[in-house]
Amino acid sequence: MTTSTTTQAPVAHNVGSLAAVTSPTTAHLPAHHKPKHNAPAAHVPNRAAHFDTSLSIPVRKYLQTYGLTPPRAESYEVQKKRCLAQLALKTTDIERFLYLSTLRYNNVHLFYRLLTDHFTELTPLVYTPVVGEACQRWSEIYQQPEGMYLSFEDKGHLSTIIQNWPQQNVEITVVTDGSRILGLGDLGVGGMGIPIGKLALYTGCAGIRPEGTLPLTIDLGTSNKALHEDPLYMGSRRDKVTQAEEIEFLDELMAALKERWPDIVIQFEDWKNPFPSLERYRQDYAMFNDDIQGTGAVIMGGIIGAVKQSGTAPKDHRAVFLGSGSAGVGVAKQIVDYFVHEGLTEDEAKSCFWLVDSKGLVTQDRGDKLAEHKIYFSRTDNNGQQFKNLDEVIEYVKPTIIMGLSTIGGAFTPEILQKMAKWNERPIIFPLSNPSSKSECTFEEAIVHTEGRALFASGSPFQPVMYNGKMYHGGQGNNMYVFPGIGLGTILSKSVQVTQGMIYASGEAVPTMITEEEKQLALLYPSVTRIRDVSARVALHVIRAAQKDNVDRLHHLREMDDATLEAWIKDKMYDPHKETQELEDEVRELVQDFSATPRL
Ligand SMILES: O=C([O-])CC(=O)C(=O)O
Ligand SMILES: [Mg+2]
């Protein structure tokens, strides 16, 4: 026998139990603020925004949260002061990371207000480098669910399981299998820190609403034996599935995501072998791979400025890449595109690159079977000579540019940096591996060993350096300058694909945001403090490229001129500073309109 229960709207001022608080009835809420799904409230990321201590007393009474927070309705300035003071009490970066994760979970708008106001200080705690340590220790520090975990065992049921995600309107997902997290290797389900961190930047930089983001980690097993033996490890102990099994799983996953959210944008992140999925899905889904394409585009954006400042024409540049994995090849290919754009033939452009891997210079006659993605750049002009390591290649090529995508911390030795300074007036030095511990050199080393002449960008942030009485600022050539705008542009134009033209446009957009003052300082990237404006500009260029490639579906945007479209984009962006005020305004309006107004 079943007992039917009637749900009664809670009476204002009379909050009976904590259950009523954590699982509030939503009938009285303005539509915009209603949780979009009836799943347990704990999964609705902005549930706790209703407990924001800045909400006015009448609004608290209306929301029936009155009495559940301390009495004083305080200003954001006071809230911020408290948060920063609490952060200052923490003694380790992991504690800071956890504090900020919990704040995001408990009061999403306050977290994003803080992040956008203190972007330079807080991004390294939410994103690289600290997210790297968080992923390494994920199963030890785990506190709350913030994304979806799907396992190989779930194959055949993905579509059903995806229904469990409580948010109805997901616009973008970042998906990893944890197999190559930053430069830290296979971290299994610990890789979840990356989708969460990347999507926090989607919201912070590009104003994608927090509930429109889906962090997704798939557990296809791990080749990391230490994880198999770690009793705290939260993933499966199976070995990594085969490539064929992975593809079968991914085919189902992609279809299931699109089935539930037909317009979803899918970003692949930190996969050990990302090329097959990019080739397989790029035509049929609005998807891209951030490590190949995002990194490629952002480095191209930095190289555009560096090549100009070096005074050397593109055809006379010689670039040595340490690291010829997905990111290395992605970056080199993207710069080839730029050189072709500048008038070189593809063969001329390609011949400006020398890729180095663990066996030395990548040549066609090296005697080993080259991985598919390395063949394009393999040298044929080495006259049978082989060069076994970076030092030998550097001596042979005498490069104008050195790029590090090797995850070998310190690989750009003082000797190499000094040689770069000897051969070039403005040597271009880009140690791009993440996190900071894997950077091929530090900013300070690059400045000191080139007498301050390096044109520099690194993947993770470095502090400014004082050298010979002058302050130097290093650029951060991190894909965070482009991926949020690529996603935003794709979402807003409802594009059905992310084309190579859109990726190219994203990289080209970045240097257009560098100010005159920054140019004087030889900076290759705009200040991260303007990251929201940069993301809007990137989105503008991405939308224009989508229109050119005819993959956009919101055709009325084609009629807008650039200034109008950029303003329209900015207007669409979630602004955490407006959220509580909007809630205030909506409730006030409702309270005036309704006859059954709770007593205020
Ligand atoms: O996450 C970052 O900072 C950049 C990136 O994609 C990587 O290193 O894999
Ligand atoms: Mg990555």
Side-chain angles (χ1 to χ4, degrees), residues 127-129 131 180-184 194 197-198 201 267-271 289-292 294-295 327 405 407 432-435 459-461 476-480 483:
Y127 184 63
T128 187
V131 72
R180 196 280 291 147
I181 292 300
L182 305 173
L184 302 169
I194 292 292
K198 292 269 171 188
L201 294 205
Q267 172 171 325
F268 276 63
E269 192 72 46
D270 289 8
W271 292 66
N289 180 287
D290 184 42
D291 300 292
I292 303 173
T295 307
L405 298 120
T407 71
L432 297 173
S433 293
N434 296 314
S460 295
Q476 193 183 350
N478 187 289
N479 46 35
M480 72 179 177
F483 70 75

Side-chain angles (χ1 to χ4, degrees), residues 85-293:
Q86 291 191 16
L87 206 52
L89 287 176
K90 310 292 174 202
T91 53
T92 66
D93 281 340
I94 282 295
E95 284 172 357
R96 294 180 191 103
F97 176 90
L98 288 175
Y99 171 74
L100 290 168
S101 302
T102 305
L103 179 63
R104 181 172 58 232
Y105 195 69
N106 283 333
N107 193 341
V108 72
H109 305 312
L110 182 56
F111 167 81
Y112 282 111
R113 292 180 101 169
L114 213 58
L115 180 67
T116 49
D117 278 2
H118 294 269
F119 202 81
T120 315
E121 305 93 300
L122 297 188
T123 305
L125 296 171
V126 171
Y127 184 63
T128 187
V130 176
V131 72
E133 188 187 347
C135 289
Q136 286 173 311
R137 298 174 57 186
W138 196 254
S139 295
E140 172 198 342
I141 64 172
Y142 179 87
Q143 291 186 342
Q144 61 242 340
E146 290 185 90
M148 273 207 108
Y149 295 85
L150 297 173
S151 301
F152 189 66
E153 285 66 26
D154 300 328
K155 198 153 69 72
H157 308 281
L158 298 181
S159 179
T160 313
I161 298 168
I162 283 171
Q163 296 299 325
N164 286 345
W165 186 249
Q167 301 297 351
Q168 297 286 18
N169 299 320
V170 170
E171 295 177 301
I172 188 157
T173 182
V174 173
V175 56
T176 190
D177 69 342
S179 59
R180 196 280 291 147
I181 292 300
L182 305 173
L184 302 169
D186 184 345
L187 302 182
V189 298
M192 181 54 111
I194 292 292
I196 292 172
K198 292 269 171 188
L199 287 162
L201 294 205
Y202 263 107
T203 299
C205 305
I208 309 291
R209 289 196 67 82
E211 62 272 22
T213 67
L214 168 61
L216 184 52
T217 294
I218 60 177
D219 185 356
L220 299 176
T222 173
S223 55
N224 183 338
K225 295 288 177 225
L227 294 180
H228 288 202
E229 270 137 46
D230 176 358
L232 286 186
Y233 178 59
M234 301 175 94
S236 98
R237 267 74 180 161
R238 68 151 56 237
D239 286 329
K240 190 86 195 169
V241 302
T242 64
Q243 173 125 25
E245 286 171 321
E246 174 177 320
I247 285 176
E248 218 178 292
F249 185 93
L250 284 181
D251 282 355
E252 185 185 332
L253 175 69
M254 298 295 279
L257 287 169
K258 198 164 168 168
E259 179 189 295
R260 177 151 186 214
W261 299 289
D263 294 336
I264 193 169
V265 176
I266 303 169
Q267 172 171 325
F268 276 63
E269 192 72 46
D270 289 8
W271 292 66
K272 188 163 193 275
N273 181 16
F275 290 101
S277 48
L278 180 59
E279 288 315 314
R280 196 170 173 87
Y281 303 120
R282 64 193 306 176
Q283 302 293 332
D284 296 331
Y285 294 92
M287 65 81 66
F288 68 104
N289 180 287
D290 184 42
D291 300 292
I292 303 173
Q293 299 175 291

Side-chain angles (χ1 to χ4, degrees), residues 548-567:
K548 212 162 143 209
D549 290 342
N550 228 352
V551 293
D552 62 316
R553 284 182 296 158
L554 217 58
H555 287 181
H556 76 270
L557 303 187
R558 295 181 178 196
E559 316 303 323
M560 295 181 186
D561 62 33
D562 282 353
T564 312
L565 182 52
E566 196 162 337

